[in-house]
Amino acid sequence: MGRDREAAAEGIRVVEVGSAACGARYCDNTVTNSKYTLVTFLPLNFLEQFSRPLNQYFLLIALLQFISIIAPVNPLSTILPLLLAFTLTAVKEGYDDKKRHALDAVFNNRMYDVIQHGELVQKRSRDIRVGDVVKVMQNSEIPCDLFLLKSSDPDGVAYIRTDNLDGEIDLKPRACVPVLAACDVFSVQGKLSCDPPNPRIYHFNSVLEVGGERHSVTTQQLLLQSCFLQNTEYVYGVAVYTGGDTKCGRNKESPPIKWATVDKEISRYSVRVFIFQLAIAFVMGLIGVIELAKYGDDAWYLGFHKVSAIHYIATPMRFFLLTSVMIPISFKVIIDISKYYISLAIGWDASMYDPNIDAEAGGTPAVANNTAIAEDLGQIESVLTDKTGTLTDNIMEFVACSLGGQTCGGSKTGSAHFDPTVSVFSDSANAEERFSARTDPAYTQFGLSLALCHTVSIETNADGTTRYAAASPDEEALVKAAVKMGFSLRHRTKNVTTIARTGTTGATEEHEILHVMEFDSDRKMMSILLRNRGTGVVTLYTKGADERMLPLVRGRSTDKEVETLEAHLRTFASAGLRTLVLGYRDVPADEYQAWSKKIEAAAVQPGDAREVALQKAYEEIELDLTVSGATAIEDKLQDGVPDTIATLRRANIRFWMLTGDKFETAKQISRSCGLWAEGEELLPLQLGPAASMSEDQLLSKLYHDLTAAAAAVAARKRPPAAGERDPGARVLSPYGTFAPVVHGEASYAELPSQAHGPANQSTSSSTSSVSLKDFSEVTNRKPTASSSSDRSDTISGSGLACAGHVLIVEGRAVQLLLDTYYEQFRALCNSVNSVVCCRVTPGQKASLTAMAKSGETPHPDFTGNARNSQEDALARLGDFQSLEGAGKRACPGAALPGCCKRGPKAAPPRRVLSIGDGGNDVSMIQEATIGVGIVGKEGRQASRAADYSIARFRFLKPLLLVHGQYSYQRSCYIAQYCFYKSMLLAFIQIIFNWFATFSGVSYWNSLLLTAWNGAFTLPAPFLYVLDRCAPRERLMESPELYKAAQSGEALTGDTFAMCLLLGVFHGMTSLLVTLIVFNGDSVSHAGDPMDFNSIFTVTYTALIMIQAWIVVLDSHTLTVPNLLGIFLMPPFYLAFVAAYGAQKWSDYYGVGTRLFNDPAVWLTVIVITVALFAPYMFVKSYYLNYNPTPMQLAYLRGAGHPTLTSHGKPVYHNVQSAEAATVLHVQKRN
């Protein structure tokens, strides 16, 4: 933020070419990715660690231990574990930072040629300053952001590889300003006025002043730091941004901090334990002061004194320190190690390894970029997915086209049915020859549009062959289709493109590139202005989405032609194909001359004003187009996508598909990939064509469809009687609206042109009133026994009700719903099985992810006056007439529950996963609880920004069902076990002080107290990371088992309380048995009195033994490391006691010898162990036989155990019964 403020204060940066004085005003080119230095490492790292509340608590305990009047044990009992935990973390951080230092040193010390005083000199990268003219050689890394002065290429073109920035491996062309193409770099003079440092890598609005003239400079002249120069011998460039001011440096932001739900729960429970600890300390301290006052000087031999004011503080503080082990210092270290192991296991999983992607590097495994949130993989409730490259292969094939009012491709000879598997080039053996022989004007313009309207370049491979390098697979598919149709792209530079008519004369055509209006997600179209060098005619070729192109071609097309084209587009989209409309027009010379002056003036505008001026200029020339045709491209689904979605839906995971495709395409893809299953009803929310409806009608239609969709969802709860009109059920009418259903017949109703707002709600059909009431009830209703029985269909089938709904929303409707009917839209989305949003922008993807995750508004500016904000949003569609009275502005959805009243109450947080493969998916990936990036053809931006990276969508199934459940179950058990064994020791301290007149004395020896959490009980939970709650195959085959983890059953208030109570029971029992057997008159087998050290060691030994058996009983998988860690610990402990007891300097001297030779001690240890273990084993056995969890059944079935019986009857015979138990178990809990 500080650097952004400095940049804003800097204003326009003026770079003087070759000026040393210019460079002195800005930072050098030192790149720093490390966090620490030798001087700052210890203070900064410890400051980071102590910023965590839990570590602050442990530090407080350690410091208080140094106050002798309140310290019950040696301060080392707290200091040593704390130092160990902090040291492990510091070593890991230091090791990681050392690697970053090494990488920084390599970059900063790399040598480059820099022009100084008219000659080339060698400079380290870190010494380059703004204004320096730098020479970069082929295959070298760009040291800083350079303005391209000159290239070795005669046309001034250079090629860079940007995979370090965006992951895209295709070469990007860059071109110097024409006036500089032949300049002398050793003497050139000029000034470059550019924006202050900023992170926008695709934005560089600058102006070059040279020779008294001003020239526009864009990203086409910018070479970005960390990119590599390719296919160009050398370039010269002027350093514009250096060091941390480069665009790469400005994008080095810390990823969003994500905290696993399990960690949040543990922290919440830790606060409760802390409050309980304070209460115990206060009560016990108060009683201790009373006892002290009672005995006073009469017990002087016990060290008692008269009560003073200090005792009212010191005694409670002493009990506070005495019970400080209630919050274990070891559990966080163990869980962090467990998470790290999970991240390694994900990378080792051979089932998530793809040998085909990045095959040269040995294939692509799964990668865990964030090791802190592995548990959330087991609790995902919704998955938001991109389509292209995520659900599909992003391998485009030209299938069909609309040309001259007819469709080409998509059907076999003699068949009227459109078949997307039949390509336009595969319907006959001589398809290419037949196409290339056509010479009619319509066909020619269509082929020219494909061959010329693009930014594809031609690359030469090492073997001399050539290939097309495109920014997107769509463009490559179109250019390849043009080749098959007889229009072959042969050569392309920044100024000229050459094509050959391969099917006719074979002659080549050269076209001068006058201007390229590039595609972006807002324009959804691109255009190119060309001058045919043979005829001198200037032609504009344009392609884009139909909603942008159709208004531009209506002026030169008849209504019938447009209707035919729209029908073809609907046919293509219904088959799941991606569509583009192509258009062109010849531009008169005088119009082009006038327009070129406008574009030149716009290009030299400063800052953001340039973008506004350019867009205005584009709109002035992109009009009155003639239709060339339309294209249909197939992007095939990846292998395993339908199966993965179907499986995860059985796991009660809701799916959202967010795509930029048109409505019909998204609908078809949702059907083919399994988001829209058989028996599910489609609920569309569409604004419809803006040209045919008034603004009032657009708003009213959205209101009508929203309430009708709500009614359909609400009606699912009440099945109508035979012949009764179902107020909720809806079918699609021919007009794309909802129509009510009468059981036994269906009727269609077109949306009237009059508004259906609140004013005339009473006069409209009963749909609105029913839907509003039921919608409010359904979306706010808590699960009940009856509602659970209504969903009994989920037991044997999918996790989501089969007779459910799929919501599909068009992009303009998405924005209006987010701005106006936010709460209702959110509730509706949470009530359907799947959601499909089409024509959405990257910003809308992030907003929808925020809504799916937390229900909170993604628009901060709407949190002030909600009513005004909604009116402002509606006003973007234009002023609308009042629905309640003349002259009064009203929200059409005011009758919807909660409309215009987004109160502060938010929906319960939901755990959502976003998955995508492109740079436009980064915002939603970072917004989600867990972001997953797919390594694909759109680069590695998504995979780098994500928490987890996988190669194929189908790998999501083992990631969630296997690794997610394993991680969740392990972390929950480890955390609760650590609290159990700590509460055990702490409660013994409390009970013992009942017998010690509440004096605050410790029952435990300081060294053994430290070793309890630091050594003796550490291996068992540490190795629990190898435990598997069920066989992998069973988890994959029975996704219903996922619901238990999804609902958080392994860590709840009840389970946490039971662990603490178990610790209390074990602590009380072990202490009381020990004190009963070894009272004040007890003697050892040798006749010596049993001293205090000997007595507490008996208890300690029994507790060590019980820990081994507890972990064995709780483990699902006993591997060799588990068994060694568990059963080697008691012998290790006994060896330690023998060695410790042999030290003459210690007050523990001789204890080991006395105890090992005393049969009474061993008998007492056995009795305590049995007394503690037997009830625990009985309870576990009871629940396993009479009320087993589905996970236990799945594990036993996978392990080959015989079927358990309950009262002589089989419990469950198959895994489907286990799945049913999961649903019933979760519903009972809710």
Side-chain angles (χ1 to χ4, degrees), residues 45-65:
N45 185 263
F46 273 68
L47 184 63
E48 278 186 15
Q49 297 198 53
F50 283 125
S51 64
R52 302 167 187 169
L54 204 58
N55 289 344
Q56 294 172 3
Y57 166 81
F58 294 133
L59 178 62
L60 174 66
I61 296 298
L63 295 177
L64 290 176
Q65 295 280 19

Side-chain angles (χ1 to χ4, degrees), residues 69 77 82 108 116 120 185 190 211 214 433 510 541 607 648 745 966 1005 1018 1036 1081 1104 1143 1148 1183:
I69 191 175
S77 63
L82 185 64
N108 290 326
Q116 280 189 348
L120 287 175
V185 294
R214 291 163 58 88
E433 290 78 4
E510 285 191 354
Y541 291 99
L648 294 181
E745 59 177 318
Y966 282 168
N1005 171 282
L1018 191 63
M1036 296 283 282
D1081 300 330
I1104 290 291
Q1143 306 303 314
Y1148 202 75
Y1183 278 99

